[in-house]
């Protein structure tokens, strides 16, 4: 409280006022109020003073200077008490209002901030009036819709967002406050002026009861791109990038749904297809060629789903490198489904043309049924996988139906791979021999060495199963070396024991493409020949046709060197791969082995003509021919009539341990069993 005289001098200052202003020592007579008022507030202060003298009761807010130089806000009002003898002056009542001022400032500040936020937000902010018209639209609405704000204002929402799917009418018609809608995001679509269909995500806050707003606050953002990206990511996560087919995870989902859906009238089944020797394609033609082949295979499988071979509900998927799955929603009979699977393999066997290069693949497949409707998708696939491995083991290019006993033989491939490394160190491999016979005389002219793995727990494992693993892990080199030296040693033993009778005998050893890529192979073969003393021309090295698709310099020069010291070369599985008779001449093969698939289908006239042509050509080039996989007498007869001289097959003998093979030779050459004169091991 202060009392001022009309000349503005101070006649009284209360102790509180003195303390608030920090001037305890000053005598109030010296107190010149105006000099303590903030320069900007002096006019207001003077006019208040004058107004008070005229009887006004108004108050003003001014800043007064503290002793230390800072200003504080006060609310000041005055009463003219000059007429009151006990006061005789103008009574000023000043109240410190610093806190209130600060709150006000904060409010102003936050208002400005919110305004700026709305104005600059990329979100579309619209206040929708109760009649559905736009009351306010933020600048981003203009930017986003390409319509001037002045035009948008007052338009109906349905005019701003054409064809929109926002249930606005329902919302506005409900007289209840839209409590449920607050904060929950609604997605809706509309037709943009560009003609595109865009998706917005919006929240609606019901502020119709709020006088400052008086409508629904629509706060939206365009999520079209995000949604498209999400869809793309989802597709990528569930589909194989290369072929676009569902991937393993997605297949398991789809298959689970199919299994769940199945009411029991039909049997769900899964066919797992693995391309035979796909690695060879990659190794010799390169990965990008391999990729293109996989794409073509995928296309063919999808084609089947859309043809009458498979049902539209069937699923084709790629679950790994060269592994595909066809899942049948309605497998009727086991036989019927297996027949369809055969057709799938036949379809895959039709030549592919990639980069102008024609090539044929074969595949092995396992088929598993959900007979008792108790299989999970995982189990069904696992069973199909087990059966597929059985198919590989049985010589590839076939469908094997899963049977529960196979579980016993199920291999964990990783485990097998680890075992394989140990097998090399522990010499668990053995060479089996299958005789090569003269078809006319049925006399043995040689043998093919075929590797076997005597697994300590699993028993005998065939090469179809472990050779691919060995190739992947680089273990094929020591295994191949073992086979080479064993075969050469064994033939030396037989030569010693049976002398002249086996003098012209040859032993064949299979080589993998990896072995041909390794320069050291030449030195190894020559070392082994030297160590065993076997004449080089008694050794035949078999190379599958697929190895040769690209006669890389390397393979070509390696083969040249192998030939140069007299070793013979055979082209194996001829006709399965890339069928070029040119290879025979180009690589100077000595032997051509006609693949079992031709022998199997010799009753087909076309096959007969092909075999006959191949035989004639080979004859002209001076190349010996061996027919592989002869199982029936009739096949042998037909081959003979077509001019084929040599053959191999179960009809004559299955591959057998060295000891048994020696025994076979002994019996055959024993004068008491078969007269020596007619026993002739040579052609
Ligand atoms: P391949 O060189 O074409 O050998 C012929 C395969 O056909 C052998 O299978 C043989 O047991 C089988 N076979 C022979 N006659 C018949 C028959 O009348 N009917 C049927 N169904 N099959 C018959 P195996 O021993 O399982 O060998 C499979 C393949 O594994 C071989 O095919 C060869 O490519 C590879 N392989 C075998 N041993 C070695 C090896 O030491 N090194 C390399 N790199 N590969 C080998
Ligand atoms: Mg062979
Ligand atoms: Mg073969």
């Amino acid at each position: 409280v202060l009392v001022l005289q009309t000349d503005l001098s101070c006649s009284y200052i209360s102790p509180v006022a003195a303390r608030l202003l920090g001037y305890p020592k000053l005598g109030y007579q010296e107190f010149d109020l105006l000099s303590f008022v903030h320069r900007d507030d002096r006019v207001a202060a003077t006019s208040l003073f004058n107004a008070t003298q005229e009887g006004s009761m108004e108050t003003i807010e001014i800043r007064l200077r503290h002793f230390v130089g800072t200003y504080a806000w006060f609310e000041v009002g005055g009463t003219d008490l000059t007429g009151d003898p006990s006061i005789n002056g103008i009574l000023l009542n000043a109240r410190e209002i610093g806190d209130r001022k600060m709150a006000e400032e904060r409010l102003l500040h936050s208002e400005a901030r919110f305004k700026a936020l709305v104005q600059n937000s990329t979100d579309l902010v619209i206040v929708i009036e109760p009649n559905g018209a736009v009351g306010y639209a933020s600048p981003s609405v203009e930017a986003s819709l390409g319509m001037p704000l002045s035009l948008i204002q007052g338009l109906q929402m349905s005019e701003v967002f054409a064809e929109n799917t926002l249930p606005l009418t329902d919302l506005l018609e409900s007289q209840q406050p839209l409590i449920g809608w607050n904060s929950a995001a609604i997605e809706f679509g509309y037709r943009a002026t560009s003609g595109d269909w865009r998706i917005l995500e919006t929240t609606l806050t019901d502020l119709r009861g709020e006088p400052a707003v008086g409508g629904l606050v629509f706060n939206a953002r365009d999520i079209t791109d995000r949604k498209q990206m999400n869809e793309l990511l989802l597709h990528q996560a569930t589909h194989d990038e290369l072929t676009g087919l569902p991937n393993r995870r997605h297949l398991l989902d789809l298959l689970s749904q199919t299994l769940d859906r199945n009411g029991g009238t039909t049997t769900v089944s899964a066919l797992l297809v693995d391309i035979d020797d796909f690695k060879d394609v990659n190794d010799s033609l390169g990965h990008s060629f391999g990729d293109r082949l996989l794409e073509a295979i995928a296309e063919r499988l999808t084609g089947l789903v859309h043809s009458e071979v498979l049902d539209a509900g069937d699923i084709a998927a790629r679950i790994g490198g060269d592994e595909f799955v066809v899942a049948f929603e309605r497998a009727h009979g086991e036989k019927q489904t297996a027949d369809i699977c055969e057709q799938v393999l036949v379809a895959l066997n039709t030549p592919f043309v990639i980069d102008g290069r024609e090539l044929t693949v074969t595949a092995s497949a396992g088929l598993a049924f959900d007979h008792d409707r108790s299989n999970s998708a995982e189990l069904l696939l696992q069973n199909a996988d087990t059966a597929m491995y059985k198919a590989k083991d049985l010589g590839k290019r076939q469908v094997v139906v899963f049977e529960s006993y196979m579980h016993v033989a199920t291999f964990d491939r990783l485990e097998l791979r680890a075992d394989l490394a140990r097998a090399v160190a522990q010499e668990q491999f053995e060479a089996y021999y299958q005789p090569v016979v003269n078809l006319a005389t049925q006399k043995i002219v040689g043998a093919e060495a075929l590797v076997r793995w005597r697994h300590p727990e699993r028993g005998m494992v065939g090469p179809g199963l472990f050779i691919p693993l060995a190739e992947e892990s680089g273990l094929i080199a020591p295994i191949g070396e073992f086979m080479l030296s064993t075969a050469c040693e064994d033939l030396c033993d037989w030569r010693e024991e049976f002398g002249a009778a086996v003098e012209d005998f040859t032993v064949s050893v299979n080589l993998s493409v990896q072995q041909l890529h390794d320069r050291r192979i030449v030195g190894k073969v020559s070392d082994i020949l030297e160590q065993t003393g076997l004449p080089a021309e008694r050794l035949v090295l078999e190379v599958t046709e697929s190895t040769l698709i690209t006669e890389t310099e390397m393979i070509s020069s390696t083969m040249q060197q192998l030939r140069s010291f007299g070793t013979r070369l055979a082209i194996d599985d001829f006709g399965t791969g890339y069928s070029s008779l040119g290879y025979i001449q180009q690589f100077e093969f000595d032997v051509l082995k006609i693949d079992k698939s031709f022998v199997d289908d010799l009753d087909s006239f076309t096959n007969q003509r092909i075999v006959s042509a191949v035989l004639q050509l080979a004859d002209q080039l001076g190349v010996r021919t061996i027919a592989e996989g002869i199982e029936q007498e009739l096949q042998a007869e037909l081959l003979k009539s077509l001019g084929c001289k040599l053959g191999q097959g179960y009809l004559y003998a299955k591959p057998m341990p060295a000891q048994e093979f020696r025994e076979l030779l002994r019996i055959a050459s024993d004068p008491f069993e078969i007269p020596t004169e007619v026993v002739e091991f040579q052609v």
Side-chain angles (χ1 to χ4, degrees):
V1 175
L2 305 100
V3 178
L4 299 187
Q5 298 307 302
T6 40
D7 63 353
L8 285 179
S9 68
C10 191
S11 57
Y12 172 77
I13 180 162
S14 71
V16 175
R19 184 170 51 74
L20 277 177
L21 293 171
Y23 301 94
K25 290 195 185 83
L26 267 184
Y28 50 79
Q29 292 84 358
E30 296 155 48
F31 197 89
D32 171 13
L33 186 69
L34 263 193
S35 70
F36 290 92
V37 175
H38 192 281
R39 184 178 304 131
D40 295 349
D41 299 337
R42 283 186 195 153
V43 177
T46 319
S47 60
L48 172 83
F49 191 69
N50 296 336
T52 306
Q53 284 176 294
E54 280 155 26
S56 159
M57 302 288 283
E58 69 170 312
T59 61
I60 56 164
E61 289 168 2
I62 55 173
R63 283 158 284 184
L64 297 180
R65 186 158 47 97
H66 188 272
F67 179 70
V68 296
T70 56
Y71 285 89
W73 278 101
F74 287 85
E75 186 185 60
V76 182
T79 321
D80 187 356
L81 293 177
T82 35
D84 184 334
S86 61
I87 306 283
N88 191 24
I90 291 172
L91 182 77
L92 283 188
N93 240 309
R95 191 151 51 89
E96 218 224 344
I97 54 163
D99 289 351
R100 195 182 85 200
K101 266 310 212 199
M102 209 135 69
E104 272 173 20
E105 233 162 72
R106 246 189 262 129
L107 189 66
L108 263 180
H109 190 72
S110 78
E111 244 170 48
R113 191 166 57 201
F114 281 121
K115 194 167 169 196
L117 279 178
V118 170
Q119 295 272 334
N120 295 308
S121 167
T122 50
D123 283 11
L124 315 182
V125 182
I126 292 177
V127 175
I128 306 168
E129 291 178 343
N131 63 4
V134 174
Y136 165 85
S138 66
S140 56
V141 177
E142 172 171 333
S144 173
L145 299 185
M147 256 193 257
L149 279 183
S150 54
L151 219 144
I152 295 171
Q153 204 94 34
L155 283 186
Q156 284 292 311
M157 282 294 276
S158 54
E159 297 171 293
V160 180
F161 298 101
E163 300 174 32
N164 80 66
T165 55
L166 186 70
L168 194 61
T169 328
D170 292 352
L171 294 176
L172 288 171
E173 270 170 12
S174 106
Q175 293 304 314
Q176 307 295 316
L178 302 171
I179 294 180
W181 289 96
N182 287 0
S183 83
I186 312 167
E187 242 179 66
F188 76 97
Y190 75 98
R191 180 80 52 204
T193 37
S194 65
D196 290 348
W197 186 251
R198 309 290 300 180
I199 312 278
L200 293 187
E201 183 184 74
T202 186
T203 54
L204 285 173
T205 315
D206 190 354
L207 295 181
R208 283 180 294 183
E210 196 79 37
V213 181
L216 292 186
V217 177
F218 165 101
N219 192 316
R221 63 184 56 181
D222 192 310
I223 55 164
T224 317
D225 295 344
R226 191 181 81 197
K227 273 194 92 81
Q228 278 169 356
M229 180 58 82
N230 278 351
E231 268 159 33
L232 186 73
L233 287 177
L234 187 70
H235 190 268
Q236 277 174 358
T238 53
H239 288 77
D240 164 46
E241 200 183 338
L242 181 67
T243 63
L245 291 180
N247 61 16
R248 181 185 196 95
R249 221 184 69 194
H250 193 39
L251 170 73
L252 286 172
D253 281 351
L254 293 172
L255 197 53
S256 299
Q257 289 164 20
T258 308
L259 287 167
D260 290 346
R261 246 196 328 264
N262 182 20
T265 47
T266 62
T267 310
V268 176
S269 64
L271 177 77
L272 194 147
V273 180
D274 185 287
I275 308 303
D276 294 330
D277 306 312
F278 183 75
K279 210 177 165 332
D280 288 348
V281 177
N282 265 344
D283 286 345
S284 32
L285 289 171
H287 286 269
S288 77
F289 188 93
D291 282 355
R292 237 133 348 121
L293 177 59
L294 289 172
E295 282 169 343
I297 291 170
E299 225 166 83
R300 203 163 280 180
L301 284 176
T302 354
L304 289 176
V305 174
H306 297 298
S307 72
E308 60 262 34
V309 178
L310 302 179
D311 277 345
D314 296 340
I315 309 158
R318 177 174 177 227
I319 60 165
D322 61 347
E323 288 188 335
F324 295 85
V325 167
V326 176
F328 301 94
E329 170 140 29
R330 281 177 289 276
H332 289 286
E334 188 163 313
K335 172 83 179 68
Q336 198 182 334
T337 310
D339 284 350
I340 293 172
C341 295
E342 290 287 353
Q343 286 187 57
V344 172
L345 291 201
V346 168
L348 288 179
N349 197 225
T350 317
F352 289 94
V353 179
I354 291 164
D355 281 353
R357 184 190 288 279
E358 186 176 295
L359 85 168
T360 313
V361 299
T362 63
S364 305
L367 176 61
F369 292 89
D370 176 36
H371 279 311
D372 48 7
R373 307 223 299 118
S374 66
N375 286 285
S376 64
E378 282 88 353
L379 185 61
L380 201 58
L381 276 197
Q382 191 187 317
N383 289 348
D385 191 64
T386 304
M388 183 277 286
Y389 267 83
K390 189 80 193 164
K392 291 265 185 212
D393 208 18
L394 290 173
K396 307 178 185 171
R397 65 187 88 137
Q398 53 191 292
V399 182
V400 167
V401 177
F402 174 79
E403 289 178 52
S404 49
Y405 79 84
M406 290 178 190
H407 265 314
V408 188
T410 303
F411 289 94
D412 180 331
R413 265 174 274 168
L414 286 175
E415 200 182 304
L416 200 64
R417 198 186 294 248
D419 290 352
L420 197 60
R422 214 169 313 125
V424 172
Q426 299 181 354
E427 298 175 353
Q428 290 168 0
F429 298 102
E430 246 172 71
Y432 268 40
Y433 295 95
Q434 184 178 38
V436 178
V437 301
N438 179 326
L439 296 180
T441 62
Q442 305 215 354
K443 299 296 178 279
I444 305 169
V445 300
E448 174 174 10
L450 295 157
V451 66
R452 294 292 181 267
W453 176 11
R454 195 176 290 282
H455 191 286
E457 287 124 42
R458 307 186 195 274
M460 206 57 103
V461 183
L465 200 59
F466 71 86
I467 290 281
L469 287 179
E471 286 174 340
E472 276 167 33
S473 55
L475 289 168
I476 191 67
I479 297 174
E481 219 174 298
F482 164 81
M483 288 300 288
L484 273 169
S485 55
T486 308
C488 291
E489 279 162 21
D490 285 344
L491 181 54
C492 281
D493 287 352
W494 303 330
R495 286 165 66 89
E496 211 162 280
E497 184 169 354
F498 302 104
V502 297
E503 208 180 332
D504 290 338
F505 243 62
T506 54
V507 70
S508 300
V509 176
N510 293 283
L511 289 188
S512 280
V513 63
Q514 270 86 350
Q515 288 173 275
L516 285 175
H517 275 299
D518 185 349
R519 284 180 199 284
R520 289 169 297 185
I521 187 74
V522 177
K524 277 187 188 137
V525 171
S526 101
D527 284 354
I528 288 168
L529 289 173
E530 201 178 314
Q531 275 159 25
T532 56
L534 184 72
E537 69 276 11
R538 298 294 110 214
L539 176 64
V540 180
L541 298 175
E542 292 192 5
V543 175
T544 55
E545 197 194 346
S546 52
T547 311
L548 309 169
I549 344 177
T550 47
E551 31 68 78
T552 52
E553 290 294 301
M554 183 101 172
I555 291 188
S556 173
S557 85
T558 305
M559 305 229 315
Q560 200 97 48
Q561 290 175 53
L562 288 171
R563 270 185 62 82
S564 70
F565 42 79
T567 313
R568 300 189 199 185
L569 298 179
I571 182 164
D572 203 354
D573 301 348
F574 188 81
T576 53
Y578 313 92
S579 311
S580 165
L581 286 165
Y583 290 141
I584 308 169
Q585 223 177 354
Q586 195 177 333
F587 291 97
E588 300 183 69
F589 281 108
D590 307 274
V591 180
L592 183 152
K593 300 187 80 170
I594 297 173
D595 191 67
K596 181 174 189 305
S597 52
F598 286 103
V599 176
D600 284 347
D601 294 334
L602 266 185
D603 38 2
S604 129
F605 183 59
T606 325
N607 270 355
Q608 277 187 28
R609 295 226 326 233
I610 293 172
V611 171
S612 156
V614 168
L615 287 169
Q616 278 174 32
L617 189 92
D619 206 35
Q620 278 166 24
L621 294 169
V623 173
R624 294 210 297 177
T625 42
I626 304 177
E628 289 187 281
I630 305 173
E631 291 177 348
Q632 294 156 19
E633 197 66 60
L634 185 67
Q635 293 168 339
E637 290 308 318
L638 272 167
L639 284 163
K640 263 190 288 184
S641 72
L642 293 171
C644 183
K645 302 229 166 51
L646 304 175
Q648 261 175 275
Y650 294 172
L651 176 65
Y652 307 104
K654 290 192 170 180
M656 61 190 89
Q659 194 48 39
E660 256 173 60
F661 189 78
R662 206 188 119 263
E663 201 62 16
L664 179 76
L665 293 182
R666 204 185 56 75
I667 293 166
S669 62
D670 189 330
F672 299 105
E673 298 279 334
I674 308 161
T676 329
E677 300 86 75
V678 280
V679 176
E680 165 199 332
F681 293 122
Q682 36 190 288
V683 212

